[in-house]
Amino acid sequence: MSAQDSTSVDGVPAKVRERHAELGQDLDDHSYRYYLGSPVITDDEYDRLMLELRALEDDHPSLITPDSPTQKVGAPISNEFAAVEHLERMQSLDNAFDDEQLAAWGQRVTAEVPVEAYLCELKIDGLAVDLVYERGRLVRAATRGDGRVGEEITLNVRTIETIPVQLDESVHPAPELLEVRGEVFLPVQAFEELNARLVEEGKAAFRNPRNAAAGSLRQKDPRITATRPLRMLVHGVGAHRGATFTHQSQSYELLASWGLPVSDRTSVVNSLDEVRAYIAHYAEHRHDPAYEIDGVVVKLDDVSLQRRLGSTSRAPRWAIAYKYPPEEVTTTLLDIKVGVGRTGRVTPYAVMEPVQVAGSEVEFATLHNASEVARKGVLIGDTVVLRKAGDVIPEVVAPVVHKRTGAEHPFVMPEKCPECGATLGQQKEGDVDLRCPNTRYCKGQLRERLAFIAGRKALDIEALGYVAATALTQPLEPVDPPMRDEGDLFGFTVEQLLPIRTLVLDPDTTEPKTDPKTGEPKVVTFFANQKGEAKKTVQKLFDQLEEVKQRPLWRVLVALSIRHVGPRAAEDLARHFRSMDAIAAASEEELVAVDGVGPTIAHSITEWFAVEWHREIVEKWRAAGVRMEEEGADDGPRLLDGLTLVVTGSLEAYSRDGAKEAVQNLGGKVTGSVSKKTDFVVAGASPGSKYDKAAKLGIPILDEGGFTVLLRQGPEAASLLRVNPAVPEAE
């Protein structure tokens, strides 16, 4: 009798017990995915797996346990944040705030051990999380807590796309036990988009990306966490059995091979001077990463030296965090004004004594809505804390209360729209925001919608910037505006543009910019030169307006400024319905059935198309030649329906976005990581680790010529070209 057929104490064959455990895990996974709205198997397939599990338990009742899927009721999954003890204590780091403190740490270390290399990495301003894998499977995730005990957040962490539930064993076998430490964060751009959405929905905005990440991870309903684009980078190993490494950098290579996300900005250096150079570089390039950083972590790379140095009661002696100065300053809040956005929402903003922060002079900052002003407790005249990170719009954080003189006074939300004078009101009962109801004729709303249409997320019209959007919708008298609503985008003439004079407005606040020579609001003749002739930019504008008529359907859909419909939802809708008419005719139930479209988006779409002048915009654009269907919409199934591709390296004939659009237009999907579910990898020059992983998994790799064949002839023809070429080098 083989070992696999031997029986356990309960008389259950080992093979049966293993199959029972496998089925239990699979069914739990599928139940979880179903609950989150992203099932990967059909109901029939799920039922067949459940029947097999029941049959095993009928034959072997000792296998039945309270946590078996056969014993669970299909109730909503939720996190209760139970306290869990970490396998190894999660420590803090000692800090250095200047070069003197860094040098002192270096002297202490080198006095005790012979240091040959330091590992430098960015200190992410996120939330510390502990992951535990058993035999390659994620069994638990927890917050740091007090270092010994944290809160279990496994279900929420499983919604993070970059964290594998099962480690990839294609390169190295998974260890028996692996405890991984890292930082969960929200990318800065995603943070801004999340705050904008929360404010749009009348909810409180998060103060910073770290708070947003923490709040997202501590949602009791994992479906809410799943809507937040959280990411994680791992930076350490706790308890482990079956994983062998001698250096910190080597451990990162192992973690990456198992599919765990590691930073690509680490550096192993040989001296403290090189450490200083790394710190100086990221002090200058602090906003290059997609996430916020607040310093650099320096570690000894040699693990044996780490063990020799050991730890204090709270921190390892072999590592230190060099902290950058905060990007917060104080200034005087001179006034609070309001601006109107493209959806009619009226937003307060702060007018401040100009101050230098994050490398630029700041005079205005967002305050989100009247409730946020009240919540933060700021008064006009206050000294306030101002925060700015990179290109993010500055934000008033809080007042400095002890500096008040008694001359400060509260902000009162206006009753009229600052652009058109319409009476402001709530769109629906319970809304936190006030909106201008004059959607069609409010020039401020039209200006903002036009600027959005020209943006990269929509039609991407480079020659139509914010000044041009102002000129087309709000020319100074006596000229009539060439655009009265978006339907006129393709209908104005050169003759209408030449006499236009316009104010130059700040796009963040809509405040007129000041002419430095006169001190008066800046006025420009935007389309004509001093001789009254059309500038070169005018022809460029008309050329680009002609080009954008062939933009893909999803971009046209985004350009309509339907509330809650961003690029991701628009791509899903265009891929599913394949024409504007089909989207407009779809019921809310049909819209919700689309992957990535929820009830809020579905309701917004049906509500938007129910308005007559909205439908007139679509018809005007259609008459002008704007594409209202996906390519091949009438041709039945598309060449790449159901296929998943990864594009890596540089292609000569395609930008990364262009390659993605080409695949999506044919029904395929482009993802950012290689897995066993990837159908093809397209490799250009210098493809990197994705190429290596595809080769090890045996996934077909196509060069640019093969990619062209795939797009023109389909997967069968491309499969004949599967030669997994040598890695192409960049010229």
Side-chain angles (χ1 to χ4, degrees), residues 578 635-639 641:
R578 304 174 70 175
D635 300 336
R638 290 166 290 179
L639 276 176
D641 270 345

Side-chain angles (χ1 to χ4, degrees), residues 483-500:
M483 289 187 60
R484 298 185 181 277
D485 64 33
E486 297 93 313
D488 296 330
L489 178 61
F490 301 97
F492 51 78
T493 64
V494 174
E495 289 70 27
Q496 287 177 283
L497 303 184
L498 295 184
I500 289 178

Side-chain angles (χ1 to χ4, degrees), residues 201 427-429 431 557 561-565 569 573 577 583-594 596-611 614:
E201 294 170 357
Q427 188 173 61
K428 58 184 179 182
E429 189 176 350
D431 271 358
L557 189 60
S561 283
I562 303 172
R563 285 186 69 189
H564 309 299
V565 178
L573 288 161
F577 289 104
I583 295 170
S587 65
E588 286 193 29
E589 291 76 15
E590 291 169 326
L591 291 166
V592 169
V594 177
V597 176
T600 300
I601 295 175
H603 181 70
S604 288
I605 292 170
T606 56
E607 194 174 54
W608 193 90
F609 279 104
V611 177
H614 289 166

Side-chain angles (χ1 to χ4, degrees), residues 184-443:
V184 170
F185 60 90
L186 199 65
V188 174
Q189 183 176 347
F191 164 71
E192 287 300 305
E193 292 172 352
L194 171 61
N195 261 0
R197 188 170 76 245
L198 290 174
V199 171
E200 180 84 6
E201 294 170 357
K203 300 174 184 176
F206 288 108
R207 173 175 172 176
N208 55 48
R210 187 186 187 282
N211 287 357
S216 299
L217 267 185
R218 297 194 79 260
Q219 294 290 332
K220 290 200 171 183
D221 186 345
R223 287 177 295 187
I224 298 176
T225 307
T227 67
R228 312 275 172 86
L230 295 169
R231 294 291 181 266
M232 181 178 185
L233 288 177
V234 300
H235 53 59
V237 176
H240 58 280
R241 288 194 301 273
T244 304
F245 49 89
T246 60
H247 290 74
Q248 187 86 19
S249 53
Q250 184 187 12
S251 74
Y252 290 176
E253 293 172 2
L254 264 178
L255 295 173
S257 74
W258 288 319
L260 288 159
V262 298
S263 173
D264 60 356
R265 295 176 182 268
T266 58
S267 180
V268 177
V269 300
N270 299 318
S271 69
L272 212 57
D273 282 341
E274 290 176 277
V275 170
R276 293 185 177 99
Y278 182 95
I279 291 170
H281 174 81
Y282 280 104
E284 291 292 323
H285 298 269
R286 188 166 172 175
H287 303 293
D288 286 2
Y291 41 84
E292 286 206 330
I293 65 172
D294 57 2
V296 167
V297 177
V298 185
K299 303 174 180 178
L300 299 196
D301 193 35
D302 190 319
V303 173
S304 66
L305 298 184
Q306 293 179 6
R307 294 196 187 102
R308 283 174 60 181
L309 284 172
S311 303
T312 66
S313 60
R314 61 172 297 278
R317 299 174 66 230
W318 45 266
I320 195 165
Y322 186 96
K323 299 292 288 290
Y324 291 133
E327 294 188 303
E328 293 185 347
V329 296
T330 58
T331 187
T332 303
L333 177 61
L334 302 176
D335 199 0
I336 297 177
K337 297 184 179 181
V338 298
V340 63
R342 65 188 174 96
T343 63
R345 181 165 60 88
V346 176
T347 306
Y349 62 90
V351 181
M352 299 166 301
E353 189 72 40
V355 63
Q356 285 283 330
V357 57
S360 61
E361 186 175 80
V362 173
E363 187 177 357
F364 304 104
T366 182
L367 284 165
H368 294 302
N369 57 41
S371 295
E372 278 290 288
V373 176
R375 185 181 69 81
K376 291 181 177 182
V378 294
L379 303 177
I380 296 172
D382 265 336
T383 297
V384 294
V385 177
L386 179 71
R387 183 174 188 274
K388 185 177 187 290
D391 295 329
V392 176
I393 297 172
E395 180 179 10
V396 171
V397 177
V400 183
V401 177
H402 71 270
K403 288 194 173 183
R404 284 180 175 163
T405 65
E408 300 82 10
H409 59 93
F411 164 70
V412 178
M413 193 72 177
E415 297 180 354
K416 303 289 184 181
C417 172
E419 298 275 359
C420 70
T423 301
L424 304 177
Q426 297 170 327
Q427 188 173 61
K428 58 184 179 182
E429 189 176 350
D431 271 358
V432 173
D433 293 316
L434 294 179
R435 294 181 184 273
C436 170
N438 187 20
T439 308
R440 185 175 191 181
Y441 297 109
C442 177
K443 294 297 190 297

Side-chain angles (χ1 to χ4, degrees), residues 530-548:
Q530 292 180 343
K531 297 179 180 179
E533 301 167 338
K535 296 179 180 177
K536 292 181 180 179
T537 53
V538 173
Q539 187 57 49
K540 185 177 180 181
L541 173 60
F542 280 98
D543 289 343
Q544 290 181 0
L545 285 172
E546 194 63 33
E547 290 172 11
V548 301

